């Protein structure tokens, strides 16, 4: 029979296998990235050139933004903000639009994955507390699309944006200019979908009062401003790597534990994978050939198979056409279930 590792102190192999399976299921992209890094490390053995693979500024910026957002989330800052906006609307259509727009705007400020994790629970709360569960799946899907497409406008809105913005040293004004047209189209299409598929039914929300701790709220907002200043190259990233973790050690250690470290490790493993791939002559020639034909199409299709973040890291090794690549890895994020990490998170939350 099964042995347990509970009060009896016995070893439970079944539980360990279950935990490992759950971990792999929750962090599938990271595990795949690790496997790819390991396989390519056999073809290209580790050497001094490996250090040149890593974009330390991207990793630092991503860590700083995620850490501060976790701290703000812990004091329910975003929930309170979103709740106040939602309460302004009186029927289902406008409320669903509000939830989608909040996610859309949130992804521009706190990254698409964090926007999904922050605002999907609000969608659940609104639909269940008002008896409008029939709109749950639609709302989740539209919030997911909004998170992926809303984040395209800013360098820190999507992880792949932050990487490409840093790698190619894209000027901030040019970055916004590249993404403005698809961003505007995304807003239009999302709005039309909500208007068409959600009826203007009466909507009443239950009262839930939330009070924010003033001192910590101000401190976290200042840290958030610091993180954004680092992203926009206004402050050296080393400053943020010291100031933000030290501040959170005193203010909210839990936020540091809540950072999505598997996402950071996913970047690390894909840096190794893409760096090794770029050193294999046959691979470099193949990718360069296809990317010269149509960078936008190749990047969109690649997202459907290996997700948008690894696509950005991998294909950036073989092309300098960052405009088409930037468009491709953002548009391509709203395809298959694995095209974006945000989509996997949405499906996981809906399944719950």
């Amino acid at each position: 029979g099964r042995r347990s590792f509970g009060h009896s102190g016995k070893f439970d192999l079944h539980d360990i296998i279950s935990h490992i399976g759950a971990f792999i299921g929750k962090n599938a992209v990271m595990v795949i990235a690790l496997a790819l890094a390991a396989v390519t490390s056999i073809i290209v053995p580790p050497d001094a050139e490996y250090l040149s693979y890593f974009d330390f500024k991207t990793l630092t910026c991503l860590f700083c933004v995620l850490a501060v957002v976790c701290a703000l989330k812990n004091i329910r800052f975003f929930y309170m903000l979103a709740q106040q906006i939602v309460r302004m609307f009186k029927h289902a259509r406008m409320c669903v639009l509000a939830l989608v727009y909040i996610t859309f705007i949130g992804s521009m400020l706190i990254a698409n994955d964090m926007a999904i994790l922050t605002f999907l629970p609000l969608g659940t709360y609104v639909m269940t507390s008002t008896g409008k569960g029939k709109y749950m799946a639609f709302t989740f899907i539209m919030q997911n699309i909004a998170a992926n497409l809303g984040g395209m406008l800013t360098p820190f809105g999507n992880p792949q944006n932050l990487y490409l913005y840093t790698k190619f040293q894209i000027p901030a004004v040019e970055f916004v200019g590249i993404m403005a047209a698809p961003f505007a189209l995304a807003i239009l299409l999302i709005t039309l979908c909500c208007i068409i598929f959600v009826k203007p039914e009466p909507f009443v929300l239950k009262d839930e009062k939330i009070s924010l701790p003033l001192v910590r709220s101000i401190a976290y907002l200042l840290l958030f401003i610091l993180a954004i200043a680092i992203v926009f190259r206004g402050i050296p990233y080393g400053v943020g790597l010291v100031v933000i973790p030290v501040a959170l050690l005193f203010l909210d250690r839990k936020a540091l534990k809540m950072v999505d470290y598997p996402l950071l490790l996913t970047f690390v493993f894909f840096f190794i994978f893409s760096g090794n791939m770029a050193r294999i002559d046959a691979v470099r020639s193949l990718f360069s050939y296809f990317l010269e034909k149509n960078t936008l199409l190749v990047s969109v299709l690649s997202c459907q198979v290996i997700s948008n973040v690894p696509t950005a890291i991998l294909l950036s090794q073989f092309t300098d056409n960052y405009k088409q690549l930037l468009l491709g890895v953002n548009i391509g994020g709203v395809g298959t279930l694995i095209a974006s990490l945000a989509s996997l998170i949405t499906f996981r939350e809906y399944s719950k």
Side-chain angles (χ1 to χ4, degrees):
R2 284 178 51 191
R3 290 181 296 173
S4 64
F5 190 79
H7 295 293
S8 62
K10 292 182 179 180
F11 181 73
D12 192 334
L13 181 61
H14 183 273
D15 282 351
I16 290 178
I17 293 174
S18 297
H19 285 308
I20 292 174
F23 178 83
I24 292 174
K26 187 177 180 180
N27 303 286
V29 177
M30 185 198 73
V31 173
I32 292 170
L34 173 60
L36 292 172
V39 170
T40 56
S41 293
I42 297 173
I43 302 171
V44 182
D47 55 21
E49 196 170 337
Y50 267 54
L51 288 175
S52 65
Y53 294 171
F54 304 106
D55 189 331
F56 294 104
K57 181 177 179 181
T58 296
L59 293 172
T60 300
C61 290
L62 192 57
F63 168 76
C64 290
V65 171
L66 291 175
V68 178
V69 166
C70 286
L72 285 167
K73 187 177 179 182
N74 284 343
I75 60 173
R76 305 190 77 186
F77 176 83
F78 299 111
Y79 190 89
M80 183 277 297
L81 186 63
Q83 187 187 64
Q84 295 304 313
I85 295 172
V86 170
R87 289 187 183 281
M88 296 170 58
F89 304 100
K90 304 299 183 183
H91 60 72
R93 177 184 292 164
M94 291 304 298
C95 201
V96 170
L97 274 170
L99 287 168
V100 172
Y101 283 154
I102 290 166
T103 310
F104 203 90
I105 295 169
S107 65
M108 290 189 282
L109 302 175
I110 63 175
N112 60 345
D113 300 339
M114 290 307 300
I116 282 293
L117 289 171
T118 301
F119 299 123
L120 277 184
L122 180 61
T124 304
Y125 162 77
V126 170
M127 295 303 155
T128 54
S129 63
T130 57
K132 302 296 181 184
K134 63 182 179 181
Y135 291 123
M136 183 81 77
F138 176 81
T139 303
F140 268 43
I141 291 168
M142 296 310 295
Q143 282 185 283
N144 176 65
I145 295 173
N148 280 309
L149 297 183
M152 73 168 69
L153 189 64
T154 59
F156 46 86
N158 291 325
Q160 69 271 16
N161 286 3
L162 187 56
Y163 168 71
L164 293 175
Y165 175 77
T166 303
K167 177 176 177 60
F168 292 107
Q169 294 290 297
I170 308 171
V173 174
E174 182 184 358
F175 185 99
V176 175
I178 293 170
M179 305 310 299
F183 177 80
L185 181 59
I187 293 177
L188 176 61
L189 292 176
I190 288 172
T191 302
L192 286 174
C193 281
C194 291
I195 291 173
I196 292 170
F197 293 107
V198 182
K199 298 177 181 179
E201 302 173 11
F203 216 72
V204 179
L205 282 171
K206 297 178 182 177
D207 289 326
E208 182 185 357
K209 293 183 179 179
I210 300 174
S211 59
L212 297 176
L214 181 61
V215 175
R216 286 206 294 165
S217 297
I218 294 173
Y220 295 159
L221 289 173
L222 289 174
L223 290 176
F224 184 72
I225 293 171
L226 172 62
I228 299 307
I230 293 169
V231 171
F232 280 108
R233 310 180 187 124
I235 296 175
Y237 68 87
V239 174
L241 193 56
V242 173
V243 173
I244 290 176
V246 170
L248 291 179
L249 276 174
F250 290 97
L251 294 168
D252 186 359
R253 293 187 181 185
K254 184 181 177 183
L256 292 174
K257 296 178 181 178
M258 290 172 58
V259 170
D260 191 351
Y261 292 107
L263 176 62
L264 294 172
L265 286 173
T266 298
F267 267 80
V268 170
F269 296 144
F270 270 115
F271 280 143
I272 296 173
F273 169 63
S274 60
N276 287 337
M277 292 287 279
R279 292 171 65 182
I280 301 172
D281 292 335
V283 172
R284 186 168 59 249
S285 298
L286 182 65
F287 273 102
S288 298
Y289 171 78
F290 282 114
L291 287 167
E292 284 178 7
K293 296 294 184 182
N294 195 322
T295 302
L296 177 61
L297 181 61
V298 171
S299 55
V300 168
L301 293 176
S302 177
C303 288
Q304 311 313 308
V305 181
I306 65 170
S307 190
N308 49 10
V309 171
T311 290
I313 297 173
L314 177 61
L315 298 189
S316 65
Q317 309 299 318
F318 307 102
T319 182
D320 291 324
N321 188 355
Y322 60 80
K323 293 183 180 180
Q324 295 294 305
L325 182 57
L326 189 59
L327 287 168
V329 295
N330 278 276
I331 296 169
V334 287
T336 62
L337 190 62
I338 62 170
S340 168
L341 183 59
S343 298
L344 287 172
I345 294 171
T346 302
F347 182 73
R348 185 181 68 202
E349 293 301 310
Y350 180 73
S351 296
K352 291 179 184 178

